Amino acid sequence: MAAKLKKGDKVVVLTGRDKGKEGEISSVDPKAGKAIVEGVNMAIRHTRQSQTSQGGRVPMATPIQLSNLALLDTNGKATRVGFRMEDGKKVRFAKSTGEAV
């Protein structure tokens, strides 16, 4: 199946603890169907001190299901993603505005 959301996309969270929060996708795992979004689904990780890092309690973004994310269009609203052929290439577009993403 084609990837509807990619690294660098601006998205909004549709459900869960962080509903309504916006962020940018930093990485995607299509096999697991999850993505890491900056500032969303944060968890505290305890790290041991080493020669290079201080250690302690470090907040980290944890993966969130792709089905709980929606792409932000140019108006700043959540939209679905579709595909169409333009000049022989498959192009993603926002269904609400019809603009290429």
Side-chain angles (χ1 to χ4, degrees), residues 20-95:
K21 286 189 181 178
E22 299 175 3
E24 185 174 327
I25 295 179
S26 60
S27 68
V28 178
D29 182 7
K31 194 169 188 178
K34 295 188 177 209
I36 295 178
V37 181
E38 294 300 320
V40 175
N41 203 24
M42 299 299 284
I44 301 292
R45 297 287 181 233
H46 296 77
T47 59
R48 186 182 298 269
Q49 184 176 359
S50 68
Q51 288 181 337
T52 58
S53 65
Q54 177 63 31
R57 296 168 45 118
V58 179
M60 292 179 60
T62 55
I64 187 168
Q65 283 286 339
L66 289 174
S67 62
N68 295 336
L69 301 173
L71 188 70
L72 283 176
D73 62 2
T74 53
N75 302 331
K77 294 188 176 186
T79 183
R80 293 183 296 158
V81 178
F83 294 96
R84 64 177 168 222
M85 298 297 286
E86 289 182 4
D87 301 327
K89 291 187 175 182
K90 193 174 184 181
V91 177
R92 294 185 314 151
F93 73 98
K95 289 200 173 187

